[in-house]
Amino acid sequence: MKPFPLWKTVVIVLALVFGALYAAPNLFGDDPAVQISVAEGELSALDAPIATAMDEAGLTPLSSRVEGNRWVVRFADADSQLEAAEVLRRALGRGPVVALSSMPKTPTWLMEIGAKPMNLGLDLRGGVHFLLEVDFDDINVKAQERYLNDLPVLLRRENIRYTGRREAGNAVVIEFDDAERQAVAQAAIAEEFPEVDLVVQGAGSKFALEARLSEAEAQRLADFAVQQNLTTLRNRVNQLGVAEPIVQRQGPSRIVVQLPGVQDTTRVKDLLGATATLEYRAVSEEDAFLAARTGVAPVGTELFYTRDDERPVLLMRDTIAAGSQLIDASATIDENGQPAVSVTLDGSGARRMLSFTERNVGKPMAVLFREREVITNYNAKGEPIRETRQIEEVISIATIRGVFGKRFQTTGLSSAEAHDLSLLLRAGALAAPVDIVEERTVGPSLGADNISQGQLAAVIGLLVVVVFMAIYYSAFGMLANIALVVNLILIVAIMSILQATLTMPGIAGIILTLGMAVDANVLIFERIREDLADKVSPHEAIESGFSRAFLTIADSQLTTLIAAVVLFALGSGPVKGFAVTLTVGIATSMFTAIVVTRALVHLFFARRKLSGVPV
């Protein structure tokens, strides 16, 4: 037999050490925990109120400290975890986000080298699944309201006289005295609002234009709303600190949200159901304090209050631009070195902003934050009571320093305010309301059952293969079994490093891989048997078996790899998880079946005088 290269031996040893270290975190399990995150302020400020709340409730946590970017309180059992979550919600109020979670018990020294357990999917860990539907009707209604204001503004600017305006179904109708004004108005509207379909109406002495959103524009607004809602929902879900959340589009109008490990559906529904939007409006010069005292706002204005100091502000009813017209926003520095927020609007919003600023340089403009928030309170019996609250706050008032349209800056803010405002503008607003049309909860006990059943299937499958190989291929079969165990360790280690999410299909992929892994050894051992039958010496038969079988093994694994790549490219969710597991398994089984098994054969048989081969 040819000598086994030293570098291959070194690679095998390193792979074993590496695999054992990075697969180890999966042995320690999880602690039931309550995690608390805050949008602003120091986490350390939570230490005293949390400790007081735990003492008063008679709960003894395993630990209570900052872990990453959140405060985590660990418990020995799920009952204490649930009770603590309710206690902390009442004690901490509405500011901090309190959520149930499971935290890994991985030792610190393993965490320090980056070793983490695999993420478990919804079917294994338990959690919640929501299917949300975007309300397109709301988008169309808002667009119609916008055109009901914008079209008359355009006609007045172009000095085209009209006699009336009204809504008719899902269209806006503008009425004129004669056909000549009707034709001029049609040309002006078509040039300024190309996204609107116009229908000319004329009978007797009545002349009118019916304007409705074109199908292409309606589709564009719907796509934009879904995309912006995806971004907003991802940001909201991140507040929960959930590992591997899934927030993705399903079909033209629906969004899937899956949160593994989350058991508190009430809090999640509050978070997902909140609907927020932003509006740019002109600030009225009327006396806001008088309106606040009398409770009567002048005609054409609305009374609001500032977020910071609850100062009354009168804003004009007409909206200059809304959050749905926002393309981007980022914190920046203006030409004077002061903090500012740079905003980019779409075409429609840019035209309105340009028109407004041309006439209002030096005057103030406000950013109005509006949100429909769902709040869950608890009655004396501890039963949840869901209430809806409408929040309307002026979050910023800045002076218009020049004419602008598509891009502009909001100044007069501190650095922190500029940062917060850019986040609010970019991700704080849902472009359209969402409704929860489907809700499923997978309990942790069901997930634990799935895990135990999956482990049982893997163990039984592994034992059957081990027994078969030991009986049918004798000592060589036992060496293949050792390589099989190494293969399993490497799969778990690589999946953990990639932080891939393990699901039930993923477990099926691992079991399938274990069965396929010994295929390569079967090919090698059968080639050795053929050579021995042809009276080839034992050492030459072993060498020939490994050499001749390599191409056949590579071809068979390549075809499986192609199938796995196609599954990953075209599949989604659990199918992708299966494809990832299968791909990792193919790579590790090639390594263990060809390299590790050959190394073991050299270790036990290369220096021995053989009269036969135990295969």
Side-chain angles (χ1 to χ4, degrees), residues 145-190:
E145 291 174 352
R146 192 164 63 248
Y147 288 123
L148 188 65
N149 293 322
D150 290 357
L151 297 183
V153 169
L154 170 67
L155 297 178
R156 289 196 295 272
R157 191 179 70 201
E158 299 294 331
N159 200 22
I160 303 171
R161 188 173 179 181
Y162 61 94
T163 58
R165 60 174 179 173
R166 57 187 168 82
E167 294 181 66
N170 56 355
V172 173
V173 175
I174 310 293
E175 297 169 340
F176 303 90
D177 280 335
D178 53 57
E180 183 181 354
R181 289 192 176 91
Q182 182 190 45
V184 175
Q186 182 184 7
I189 293 173

mmCIF file of all heavy atoms in Angstrom, residues 145-190:
data_model
loop_
_atom_site.group_PDB
_atom_site.id
_atom_site.type_symbol
_atom_site.label_atom_id
_atom_site.label_comp_id
_atom_site.label_asym_id
_atom_site.label_seq_id
_atom_site.Cartn_x
_atom_site.Cartn_y
_atom_site.Cartn_z
ATOM 1 N N GLU A 145 -58.017 60.389 -2.267
ATOM 2 C CA GLU A 145 -58.072 61.627 -1.472
ATOM 3 C C GLU A 145 -56.993 62.598 -1.917
ATOM 4 O O GLU A 145 -57.215 63.814 -1.965
ATOM 5 C CB GLU A 145 -57.907 61.284 0.006
ATOM 6 C CG GLU A 145 -59.093 60.541 0.606
ATOM 7 C CD GLU A 145 -58.826 60.107 2.025
ATOM 8 O OE1 GLU A 145 -57.658 60.252 2.482
ATOM 9 O OE2 GLU A 145 -59.756 59.606 2.686
ATOM 10 N N ARG A 146 -55.830 62.046 -2.254
ATOM 11 C CA ARG A 146 -54.727 62.913 -2.684
ATOM 12 C C ARG A 146 -55.057 63.608 -4.003
ATOM 13 O O ARG A 146 -54.831 64.805 -4.156
ATOM 14 C CB ARG A 146 -53.466 62.055 -2.822
ATOM 15 C CG ARG A 146 -52.193 62.864 -2.968
ATOM 16 C CD ARG A 146 -50.961 62.024 -2.724
ATOM 17 N NE ARG A 146 -50.813 60.939 -3.687
ATOM 18 C CZ ARG A 146 -50.921 59.653 -3.396
ATOM 19 N NH1 ARG A 146 -51.183 59.302 -2.166
ATOM 20 N NH2 ARG A 146 -50.766 58.736 -4.314
ATOM 21 N N TYR A 147 -55.623 62.859 -4.946
ATOM 22 C CA TYR A 147 -55.952 63.462 -6.246
ATOM 23 C C TYR A 147 -57.118 64.429 -6.118
ATOM 24 O O TYR A 147 -57.207 65.394 -6.878
ATOM 25 C CB TYR A 147 -56.276 62.376 -7.264
ATOM 26 C CG TYR A 147 -55.043 61.608 -7.697
ATOM 27 C CD1 TYR A 147 -54.971 60.230 -7.551
ATOM 28 C CD2 TYR A 147 -53.958 62.278 -8.236
ATOM 29 C CE1 TYR A 147 -53.837 59.534 -7.926
ATOM 30 C CE2 TYR A 147 -52.815 61.592 -8.608
ATOM 31 C CZ TYR A 147 -52.761 60.217 -8.448
ATOM 32 O OH TYR A 147 -51.640 59.554 -8.811
ATOM 33 N N LEU A 148 -57.998 64.177 -5.145
ATOM 34 C CA LEU A 148 -59.122 65.097 -4.952
ATOM 35 C C LEU A 148 -58.613 66.483 -4.545
ATOM 36 O O LEU A 148 -59.248 67.496 -4.839
ATOM 37 C CB LEU A 148 -60.058 64.542 -3.869
ATOM 38 C CG LEU A 148 -61.374 65.282 -3.663
ATOM 39 C CD1 LEU A 148 -62.243 65.177 -4.911
ATOM 40 C CD2 LEU A 148 -62.133 64.737 -2.457
ATOM 41 N N ASN A 149 -57.461 66.531 -3.874
ATOM 42 C CA ASN A 149 -56.854 67.813 -3.508
ATOM 43 C C ASN A 149 -55.888 68.315 -4.570
ATOM 44 O O ASN A 149 -55.835 69.503 -4.864
ATOM 45 C CB ASN A 149 -56.109 67.673 -2.173
ATOM 46 C CG ASN A 149 -57.052 67.425 -1.015
ATOM 47 O OD1 ASN A 149 -58.144 68.000 -0.960
ATOM 48 N ND2 ASN A 149 -56.652 66.572 -0.096
ATOM 49 N N ASP A 150 -55.128 67.398 -5.173
ATOM 50 C CA ASP A 150 -54.062 67.807 -6.091
ATOM 51 C C ASP A 150 -54.589 68.347 -7.406
ATOM 52 O O ASP A 150 -54.054 69.324 -7.953
ATOM 53 C CB ASP A 150 -53.137 66.616 -6.370
ATOM 54 C CG ASP A 150 -52.312 66.246 -5.155
ATOM 55 O OD1 ASP A 150 -52.426 66.956 -4.137
ATOM 56 O OD2 ASP A 150 -51.563 65.253 -5.220
ATOM 57 N N LEU A 151 -55.620 67.713 -7.976
ATOM 58 C CA LEU A 151 -56.102 68.148 -9.288
ATOM 59 C C LEU A 151 -56.649 69.579 -9.249
ATOM 60 O O LEU A 151 -56.299 70.394 -10.112
ATOM 61 C CB LEU A 151 -57.151 67.159 -9.804
ATOM 62 C CG LEU A 151 -56.654 65.724 -10.044
ATOM 63 C CD1 LEU A 151 -57.764 64.851 -10.616
ATOM 64 C CD2 LEU A 151 -55.452 65.715 -10.970
ATOM 65 N N PRO A 152 -57.480 69.945 -8.274
ATOM 66 C CA PRO A 152 -57.914 71.346 -8.215
ATOM 67 C C PRO A 152 -56.756 72.321 -8.020
ATOM 68 O O PRO A 152 -56.774 73.420 -8.565
ATOM 69 C CB PRO A 152 -58.864 71.371 -7.010
ATOM 70 C CG PRO A 152 -59.385 69.967 -6.938
ATOM 71 C CD PRO A 152 -58.230 69.114 -7.311
ATOM 72 N N VAL A 153 -55.744 71.911 -7.234
ATOM 73 C CA VAL A 153 -54.585 72.796 -7.043
ATOM 74 C C VAL A 153 -53.907 73.063 -8.376
ATOM 75 O O VAL A 153 -53.531 74.207 -8.702
ATOM 76 C CB VAL A 153 -53.593 72.148 -6.044
ATOM 77 C CG1 VAL A 153 -52.276 72.911 -6.044
ATOM 78 C CG2 VAL A 153 -54.191 72.127 -4.650
ATOM 79 N N LEU A 154 -53.755 72.016 -9.180
ATOM 80 C CA LEU A 154 -53.132 72.181 -10.501
ATOM 81 C C LEU A 154 -53.965 73.112 -11.375
ATOM 82 O O LEU A 154 -53.425 74.005 -12.042
ATOM 83 C CB LEU A 154 -52.995 70.806 -11.173
ATOM 84 C CG LEU A 154 -52.587 70.837 -12.652
ATOM 85 C CD1 LEU A 154 -51.161 71.364 -12.802
ATOM 86 C CD2 LEU A 154 -52.717 69.450 -13.277
ATOM 87 N N LEU A 155 -55.272 72.917 -11.397
ATOM 88 C CA LEU A 155 -56.136 73.735 -12.251
ATOM 89 C C LEU A 155 -56.103 75.210 -11.830
ATOM 90 O O LEU A 155 -56.085 76.104 -12.672
ATOM 91 C CB LEU A 155 -57.571 73.189 -12.205
ATOM 92 C CG LEU A 155 -57.749 71.758 -12.752
ATOM 93 C CD1 LEU A 155 -59.190 71.311 -12.624
ATOM 94 C CD2 LEU A 155 -57.290 71.672 -14.192
ATOM 95 N N ARG A 156 -56.052 75.448 -10.517
ATOM 96 C CA ARG A 156 -55.975 76.845 -10.059
ATOM 97 C C ARG A 156 -54.640 77.459 -10.453
ATOM 98 O O ARG A 156 -54.574 78.621 -10.843
ATOM 99 C CB ARG A 156 -56.173 76.893 -8.533
ATOM 100 C CG ARG A 156 -57.594 76.600 -8.075
ATOM 101 C CD ARG A 156 -57.811 77.041 -6.636
ATOM 102 N NE ARG A 156 -57.008 76.284 -5.702
ATOM 103 C CZ ARG A 156 -57.404 75.134 -5.140
ATOM 104 N NH1 ARG A 156 -58.594 74.628 -5.427
ATOM 105 N NH2 ARG A 156 -56.617 74.508 -4.295
ATOM 106 N N ARG A 157 -53.606 76.663 -10.344
ATOM 107 C CA ARG A 157 -52.281 77.188 -10.713
ATOM 108 C C ARG A 157 -52.212 77.518 -12.202
ATOM 109 O O ARG A 157 -51.568 78.474 -12.621
ATOM 110 C CB ARG A 157 -51.222 76.133 -10.359
ATOM 111 C CG ARG A 157 -49.796 76.641 -10.442
ATOM 112 C CD ARG A 157 -48.831 75.562 -10.061
ATOM 113 N NE ARG A 157 -48.776 74.520 -11.079
ATOM 114 C CZ ARG A 157 -48.342 73.290 -10.878
ATOM 115 N NH1 ARG A 157 -47.948 72.934 -9.675
ATOM 116 N NH2 ARG A 157 -48.334 72.414 -11.850
ATOM 117 N N GLU A 158 -52.870 76.700 -13.033
ATOM 118 C CA GLU A 158 -52.872 76.929 -14.486
ATOM 119 C C GLU A 158 -53.991 77.880 -14.913
ATOM 120 O O GLU A 158 -54.201 78.068 -16.115
ATOM 121 C CB GLU A 158 -53.043 75.582 -15.203
ATOM 122 C CG GLU A 158 -51.938 74.579 -14.926
ATOM 123 C CD GLU A 158 -50.591 75.027 -15.486
ATOM 124 O OE1 GLU A 158 -50.607 75.764 -16.495
ATOM 125 O OE2 GLU A 158 -49.556 74.673 -14.888
ATOM 126 N N ASN A 159 -54.697 78.419 -13.909
ATOM 127 C CA ASN A 159 -55.789 79.369 -14.184
ATOM 128 C C ASN A 159 -56.877 78.746 -15.068
ATOM 129 O O ASN A 159 -57.373 79.368 -16.013
ATOM 130 C CB ASN A 159 -55.227 80.629 -14.838
ATOM 131 C CG ASN A 159 -56.171 81.802 -14.694
ATOM 132 O OD1 ASN A 159 -57.023 81.822 -13.787
ATOM 133 N ND2 ASN A 159 -56.062 82.772 -15.588
ATOM 134 N N ILE A 160 -57.213 77.522 -14.781
ATOM 135 C CA ILE A 160 -58.287 76.819 -15.497
ATOM 136 C C ILE A 160 -59.474 76.737 -14.539
ATOM 137 O O ILE A 160 -59.386 76.066 -13.498
ATOM 138 C CB ILE A 160 -57.838 75.411 -15.940
ATOM 139 C CG1 ILE A 160 -56.594 75.512 -16.808
ATOM 140 C CG2 ILE A 160 -58.969 74.698 -16.690
ATOM 141 C CD1 ILE A 160 -55.952 74.175 -17.108
ATOM 142 N N ARG A 161 -60.535 77.374 -14.883
ATOM 143 C CA ARG A 161 -61.672 77.454 -13.975
ATOM 144 C C ARG A 161 -62.493 76.165 -14.025
ATOM 145 O O ARG A 161 -62.805 75.666 -15.107
ATOM 146 C CB ARG A 161 -62.552 78.635 -14.361
ATOM 147 C CG ARG A 161 -63.664 78.914 -13.370
ATOM 148 C CD ARG A 161 -64.386 80.177 -13.728
ATOM 149 N NE ARG A 161 -65.472 80.457 -12.797
ATOM 150 C CZ ARG A 161 -66.281 81.499 -12.897
ATOM 151 N NH1 ARG A 161 -66.109 82.365 -13.896
ATOM 152 N NH2 ARG A 161 -67.250 81.686 -12.028
ATOM 153 N N TYR A 162 -62.856 75.657 -12.863
ATOM 154 C CA TYR A 162 -63.720 74.477 -12.776
ATOM 155 C C TYR A 162 -64.876 74.820 -11.841
ATOM 156 O O TYR A 162 -64.785 75.737 -11.017
ATOM 157 C CB TYR A 162 -62.961 73.243 -12.262
ATOM 158 C CG TYR A 162 -62.395 73.392 -10.880
ATOM 159 C CD1 TYR A 162 -63.106 72.947 -9.757
ATOM 160 C CD2 TYR A 162 -61.146 73.982 -10.675
ATOM 161 C CE1 TYR A 162 -62.594 73.101 -8.480
ATOM 162 C CE2 TYR A 162 -60.640 74.146 -9.398
ATOM 163 C CZ TYR A 162 -61.362 73.703 -8.311
ATOM 164 O OH TYR A 162 -60.853 73.869 -7.046
ATOM 165 N N THR A 163 -65.972 74.105 -11.976
ATOM 166 C CA THR A 163 -67.177 74.448 -11.207
ATOM 167 C C THR A 163 -67.408 73.531 -10.020
ATOM 168 O O THR A 163 -68.214 73.849 -9.142
ATOM 169 C CB THR A 163 -68.411 74.403 -12.115
ATOM 170 O OG1 THR A 163 -68.518 73.087 -12.694
ATOM 171 C CG2 THR A 163 -68.294 75.435 -13.233
ATOM 172 N N GLY A 164 -66.739 72.402 -9.996
ATOM 173 C CA GLY A 164 -66.938 71.505 -8.856
ATOM 174 C C GLY A 164 -66.011 70.302 -8.910
ATOM 175 O O GLY A 164 -65.402 70.014 -9.945
ATOM 176 N N ARG A 165 -65.902 69.647 -7.772
ATOM 177 C CA ARG A 165 -65.112 68.402 -7.680
ATOM 178 C C ARG A 165 -65.819 67.473 -6.717
ATOM 179 O O ARG A 165 -66.450 67.922 -5.753
ATOM 180 C CB ARG A 165 -63.694 68.682 -7.179
ATOM 181 C CG ARG A 165 -63.670 69.310 -5.804
ATOM 182 C CD ARG A 165 -62.282 69.452 -5.254
ATOM 183 N NE ARG A 165 -62.318 70.090 -3.949
ATOM 184 C CZ ARG A 165 -61.263 70.224 -3.153
ATOM 185 N NH1 ARG A 165 -60.086 69.772 -3.535
ATOM 186 N NH2 ARG A 165 -61.377 70.815 -1.989
ATOM 187 N N ARG A 166 -65.744 66.186 -7.009
ATOM 188 C CA ARG A 166 -66.402 65.220 -6.134
ATOM 189 C C ARG A 166 -65.809 63.832 -6.379
ATOM 190 O O ARG A 166 -65.124 63.601 -7.395
ATOM 191 C CB ARG A 166 -67.905 65.181 -6.413
ATOM 192 C CG ARG A 166 -68.273 64.866 -7.851
ATOM 193 C CD ARG A 166 -69.766 65.010 -8.071
ATOM 194 N NE ARG A 166 -70.089 64.992 -9.481
ATOM 195 C CZ ARG A 166 -70.226 63.883 -10.211
ATOM 196 N NH1 ARG A 166 -70.071 62.695 -9.638
ATOM 197 N NH2 ARG A 166 -70.513 63.936 -11.500
ATOM 198 N N GLU A 167 -66.080 62.956 -5.404
ATOM 199 C CA GLU A 167 -65.666 61.556 -5.553
ATOM 200 C C GLU A 167 -66.824 60.777 -6.158
ATOM 201 O O GLU A 167 -67.985 60.997 -5.798
ATOM 202 C CB GLU A 167 -65.293 60.962 -4.207
ATOM 203 C CG GLU A 167 -64.054 61.598 -3.588
ATOM 204 C CD GLU A 167 -63.698 60.952 -2.246
ATOM 205 O OE1 GLU A 167 -63.330 59.767 -2.269
ATOM 206 O OE2 GLU A 167 -63.821 61.628 -1.223
ATOM 207 N N ALA A 168 -66.518 59.878 -7.058
ATOM 208 C CA ALA A 168 -67.538 59.026 -7.681
ATOM 209 C C ALA A 168 -66.975 57.606 -7.744
ATOM 210 O O ALA A 168 -66.175 57.281 -8.613
ATOM 211 C CB ALA A 168 -67.874 59.528 -9.081
ATOM 212 N N GLY A 169 -67.371 56.786 -6.762
ATOM 213 C CA GLY A 169 -66.815 55.431 -6.706
ATOM 214 C C GLY A 169 -65.335 55.498 -6.384
ATOM 215 O O GLY A 169 -64.932 56.123 -5.407
ATOM 216 N N ASN A 170 -64.508 54.920 -7.238
ATOM 217 C CA ASN A 170 -63.061 54.977 -7.030
ATOM 218 C C ASN A 170 -62.403 55.988 -7.961
ATOM 219 O O ASN A 170 -61.227 55.841 -8.326
ATOM 220 C CB ASN A 170 -62.437 53.596 -7.232
ATOM 221 C CG ASN A 170 -62.752 53.027 -8.599
ATOM 222 O OD1 ASN A 170 -63.516 53.629 -9.372
ATOM 223 N ND2 ASN A 170 -62.172 51.884 -8.912
ATOM 224 N N ALA A 171 -63.154 56.993 -8.373
ATOM 225 C CA ALA A 171 -62.622 58.025 -9.268
ATOM 226 C C ALA A 171 -62.916 59.408 -8.692
ATOM 227 O O ALA A 171 -63.727 59.567 -7.777
ATOM 228 C CB ALA A 171 -63.241 57.900 -10.664
ATOM 229 N N VAL A 172 -62.224 60.407 -9.259
ATOM 230 C CA VAL A 172 -62.449 61.810 -8.902
ATOM 231 C C VAL A 172 -63.021 62.506 -10.125
ATOM 232 O O VAL A 172 -62.484 62.367 -11.235
ATOM 233 C CB VAL A 172 -61.129 62.473 -8.469
ATOM 234 C CG1 VAL A 172 -61.322 63.972 -8.268
ATOM 235 C CG2 VAL A 172 -60.614 61.827 -7.203
ATOM 236 N N VAL A 173 -64.105 63.254 -9.960
ATOM 237 C CA VAL A 173 -64.746 63.936 -11.082
ATOM 238 C C VAL A 173 -64.587 65.447 -10.904
ATOM 239 O O VAL A 173 -64.909 66.002 -9.847
ATOM 240 C CB VAL A 173 -66.246 63.568 -11.160
ATOM 241 C CG1 VAL A 173 -66.930 64.378 -12.272
ATOM 242 C CG2 VAL A 173 -66.408 62.073 -11.404
ATOM 243 N N ILE A 174 -64.050 66.104 -11.958
ATOM 244 C CA ILE A 174 -63.895 67.563 -11.983
ATOM 245 C C ILE A 174 -64.878 68.097 -13.030
ATOM 246 O O ILE A 174 -64.875 67.633 -14.186
ATOM 247 C CB ILE A 174 -62.465 67.977 -12.354
ATOM 248 C CG1 ILE A 174 -61.431 67.232 -11.488
ATOM 249 C CG2 ILE A 174 -62.294 69.487 -12.209
ATOM 250 C CD1 ILE A 174 -61.451 67.608 -10.050
ATOM 251 N N GLU A 175 -65.688 69.085 -12.646
ATOM 252 C CA GLU A 175 -66.729 69.592 -13.543
ATOM 253 C C GLU A 175 -66.348 70.971 -14.087
ATOM 254 O O GLU A 175 -65.698 71.770 -13.392
ATOM 255 C CB GLU A 175 -68.058 69.680 -12.791
ATOM 256 C CG GLU A 175 -68.548 68.315 -12.318
ATOM 257 C CD GLU A 175 -69.717 68.396 -11.359
ATOM 258 O OE1 GLU A 175 -69.917 69.470 -10.750
ATOM 259 O OE2 GLU A 175 -70.416 67.389 -11.204
ATOM 260 N N PHE A 176 -66.780 71.237 -15.350
ATOM 261 C CA PHE A 176 -66.446 72.487 -16.034
ATOM 262 C C PHE A 176 -67.716 73.076 -16.665
ATOM 263 O O PHE A 176 -68.725 72.381 -16.862
ATOM 264 C CB PHE A 176 -65.396 72.234 -17.128
ATOM 265 C CG PHE A 176 -64.141 71.591 -16.598
ATOM 266 C CD1 PHE A 176 -64.014 70.204 -16.542
ATOM 267 C CD2 PHE A 176 -63.088 72.374 -16.136
ATOM 268 C CE1 PHE A 176 -62.864 69.615 -16.059
ATOM 269 C CE2 PHE A 176 -61.940 71.788 -15.642
ATOM 270 C CZ PHE A 176 -61.831 70.410 -15.599
ATOM 271 N N ASP A 177 -67.584 74.389 -17.054
ATOM 272 C CA ASP A 177 -68.710 75.069 -17.687
ATOM 273 C C ASP A 177 -68.810 74.756 -19.174
ATOM 274 O O ASP A 177 -69.904 74.766 -19.754
ATOM 275 C CB ASP A 177 -68.578 76.595 -17.509
ATOM 276 C CG ASP A 177 -69.033 77.027 -16.129
ATOM 277 O OD1 ASP A 177 -69.855 76.291 -15.536
ATOM 278 O OD2 ASP A 177 -68.578 78.073 -15.640
ATOM 279 N N ASP A 178 -67.648 74.555 -19.805
ATOM 280 C CA ASP A 178 -67.686 74.366 -21.256
ATOM 281 C C ASP A 178 -66.632 73.352 -21.685
ATOM 282 O O ASP A 178 -65.731 72.990 -20.916
ATOM 283 C CB ASP A 178 -67.474 75.708 -21.969
ATOM 284 C CG ASP A 178 -66.217 76.417 -21.479
ATOM 285 O OD1 ASP A 178 -65.132 75.801 -21.573
ATOM 286 O OD2 ASP A 178 -66.311 77.552 -20.979
ATOM 287 N N ALA A 179 -66.739 72.943 -22.932
ATOM 288 C CA ALA A 179 -65.850 71.919 -23.488
ATOM 289 C C ALA A 179 -64.427 72.432 -23.649
ATOM 290 O O ALA A 179 -63.453 71.661 -23.575
ATOM 291 C CB ALA A 179 -66.394 71.442 -24.841
ATOM 292 N N GLU A 180 -64.283 73.764 -23.872
ATOM 293 C CA GLU A 180 -62.932 74.310 -24.085
ATOM 294 C C GLU A 180 -62.087 74.174 -22.820
ATOM 295 O O GLU A 180 -60.946 73.714 -22.853
ATOM 296 C CB GLU A 180 -63.043 75.779 -24.491
ATOM 297 C CG GLU A 180 -61.696 76.408 -24.808
ATOM 298 C CD GLU A 180 -61.840 77.878 -25.187
ATOM 299 O OE1 GLU A 180 -62.985 78.354 -25.299
ATOM 300 O OE2 GLU A 180 -60.804 78.531 -25.347
ATOM 301 N N ARG A 181 -62.652 74.598 -21.673
ATOM 302 C CA ARG A 181 -61.914 74.452 -20.410
ATOM 303 C C ARG A 181 -61.670 72.974 -20.094
ATOM 304 O O ARG A 181 -60.634 72.605 -19.550
ATOM 305 C CB ARG A 181 -62.701 75.104 -19.268
ATOM 306 C CG ARG A 181 -62.721 76.621 -19.319
ATOM 307 C CD ARG A 181 -63.262 77.174 -18.012
ATOM 308 N NE ARG A 181 -63.216 78.625 -17.984
ATOM 309 C CZ ARG A 181 -64.203 79.417 -18.378
ATOM 310 N NH1 ARG A 181 -65.337 78.882 -18.836
ATOM 311 N NH2 ARG A 181 -64.080 80.735 -18.326
ATOM 312 N N GLN A 182 -62.641 72.156 -20.445
ATOM 313 C CA GLN A 182 -62.484 70.708 -20.216
ATOM 314 C C GLN A 182 -61.268 70.164 -20.978
ATOM 315 O O GLN A 182 -60.461 69.398 -20.431
ATOM 316 C CB GLN A 182 -63.753 69.991 -20.660
ATOM 317 C CG GLN A 182 -63.732 68.489 -20.423
ATOM 318 C CD GLN A 182 -64.899 67.799 -21.106
ATOM 319 O OE1 GLN A 182 -65.200 68.103 -22.271
ATOM 320 N NE2 GLN A 182 -65.558 66.905 -20.398
ATOM 321 N N ALA A 183 -61.107 70.591 -22.235
ATOM 322 C CA ALA A 183 -59.999 70.093 -23.060
ATOM 323 C C ALA A 183 -58.654 70.597 -22.542
ATOM 324 O O ALA A 183 -57.662 69.844 -22.481
ATOM 325 C CB ALA A 183 -60.210 70.531 -24.513
ATOM 326 N N VAL A 184 -58.603 71.885 -22.140
ATOM 327 C CA VAL A 184 -57.351 72.449 -21.606
ATOM 328 C C VAL A 184 -56.969 71.727 -20.302
ATOM 329 O O VAL A 184 -55.802 71.394 -20.060
ATOM 330 C CB VAL A 184 -57.507 73.966 -21.374
ATOM 331 C CG1 VAL A 184 -56.251 74.527 -20.703
ATOM 332 C CG2 VAL A 184 -57.758 74.683 -22.691
ATOM 333 N N ALA A 185 -57.958 71.505 -19.462
ATOM 334 C CA ALA A 185 -57.701 70.816 -18.195
ATOM 335 C C ALA A 185 -57.219 69.381 -18.432
ATOM 336 O O ALA A 185 -56.320 68.887 -17.733
ATOM 337 C CB ALA A 185 -58.968 70.809 -17.346
ATOM 338 N N GLN A 186 -57.814 68.747 -19.424
ATOM 339 C CA GLN A 186 -57.391 67.360 -19.723
ATOM 340 C C GLN A 186 -55.910 67.311 -20.092
ATOM 341 O O GLN A 186 -55.166 66.436 -19.634
ATOM 342 C CB GLN A 186 -58.248 66.808 -20.863
ATOM 343 C CG GLN A 186 -57.913 65.358 -21.210
ATOM 344 C CD GLN A 186 -58.712 64.867 -22.401
ATOM 345 O OE1 GLN A 186 -59.422 65.648 -23.050
ATOM 346 N NE2 GLN A 186 -58.603 63.582 -22.684
ATOM 347 N N ALA A 187 -55.487 68.287 -20.933
ATOM 348 C CA ALA A 187 -54.077 68.312 -21.351
ATOM 349 C C ALA A 187 -53.165 68.588 -20.159
ATOM 350 O O ALA A 187 -52.107 67.962 -20.006
ATOM 351 C CB ALA A 187 -53.889 69.376 -22.440
ATOM 352 N N ALA A 188 -53.581 69.531 -19.296
ATOM 353 C CA ALA A 188 -52.740 69.884 -18.141
ATOM 354 C C ALA A 188 -52.621 68.716 -17.163
ATOM 355 O O ALA A 188 -51.531 68.412 -16.657
ATOM 356 C CB ALA A 188 -53.330 71.108 -17.439
ATOM 357 N N ILE A 189 -53.730 68.060 -16.897
ATOM 358 C CA ILE A 189 -53.701 66.921 -15.951
ATOM 359 C C ILE A 189 -52.888 65.767 -16.519
ATOM 360 O O ILE A 189 -52.108 65.125 -15.813
ATOM 361 C CB ILE A 189 -55.145 66.474 -15.624
ATOM 362 C CG1 ILE A 189 -55.872 67.563 -14.846
ATOM 363 C CG2 ILE A 189 -55.134 65.179 -14.815
ATOM 364 C CD1 ILE A 189 -57.349 67.276 -14.624
ATOM 365 N N ALA A 190 -53.064 65.508 -17.835
ATOM 366 C CA ALA A 190 -52.321 64.402 -18.456
ATOM 367 C C ALA A 190 -50.822 64.637 -18.392
ATOM 368 O O ALA A 190 -50.033 63.688 -18.234
ATOM 369 C CB ALA A 190 -52.774 64.232 -19.906
#
